[in-house]
Amino acid sequence: MAGLFDTIGISGTGLTVDRKWMDAIADNLSNSNNTVPGDQPAFAQRYVEAQSAPGGGTEVVGIRYGSSEGIEEYDPQNPIADAKGYVRHADIDMSGQMTQMIMAQRGYEANLQIISRATDAYQQALQLGK
């Protein structure tokens, strides 16, 4: 059975993972409309890789990058089009990213609630000793 401080520590690791997940999603969303010449790689979507941490909790073990192939579009009027008239956009699903953001935000909020409740329980236990 996890102790009070273990609960706070484990939830703290969850906060870190959720925060990094939200950071990656924010990068994806902010770069979703980037356009590059057709002969250059598009913005590659970021994915946070997490796993169980030794001793409990979770940890980020890396950031994985999606395909930089993107979506090619013929747009010869675009000032950054390549010699053939093509530009490339990042291939990012906005609705999928927003769904991921909601999940990460709710995970973050849940971990904050756990830390808050554990802190309250610890403070009440200290009051019993007075």
Side-chain angles (χ1 to χ4, degrees):
M1 183 169 158
L4 182 62
F5 291 113
D6 294 336
T7 302
I8 293 172
I10 289 169
S11 290
T13 66
L15 285 174
T16 300
V17 169
D18 291 330
R19 181 185 50 80
K20 289 185 179 187
W21 187 13
M22 287 188 286
D23 288 346
I25 294 166
D27 278 350
N28 294 339
L29 291 172
S30 66
N31 287 288
S32 65
N33 291 324
N34 285 4
T35 303
V36 296
D39 57 356
Q40 293 183 13
F43 176 80
Q45 188 167 229
R46 274 80 168 134
Y47 300 94
V48 173
E49 293 182 336
Q51 68 181 19
S52 296
T58 57
E59 63 184 355
V60 172
V61 293
I63 302 293
R64 186 172 48 88
Y65 296 92
S67 171
S68 62
E69 186 175 320
I71 299 170
E72 195 172 55
E73 176 185 346
Y74 183 69
D75 185 6
Q77 301 303 318
N78 192 315
I80 65 167
D82 65 10
K84 296 178 184 176
Y86 286 94
V87 295
R88 194 174 299 274
H89 305 280
D91 187 11
I92 295 175
D93 174 27
M94 297 290 280
S95 62
Q97 289 297 302
M98 292 307 295
T99 300
Q100 293 287 317
M101 182 64 85
I102 291 168
M103 291 172 24
Q105 183 180 7
R106 288 187 179 162
Y108 190 87
E109 290 169 354
N111 280 304
L112 278 177
Q113 283 288 1
I114 291 169
I115 291 171
S116 176
R117 298 250 165 87
T119 302
D120 290 346
Y122 179 66
Q123 289 174 345
Q124 289 176 4
L126 286 175
Q127 292 300 320
L128 291 175
K130 288 186 174 183

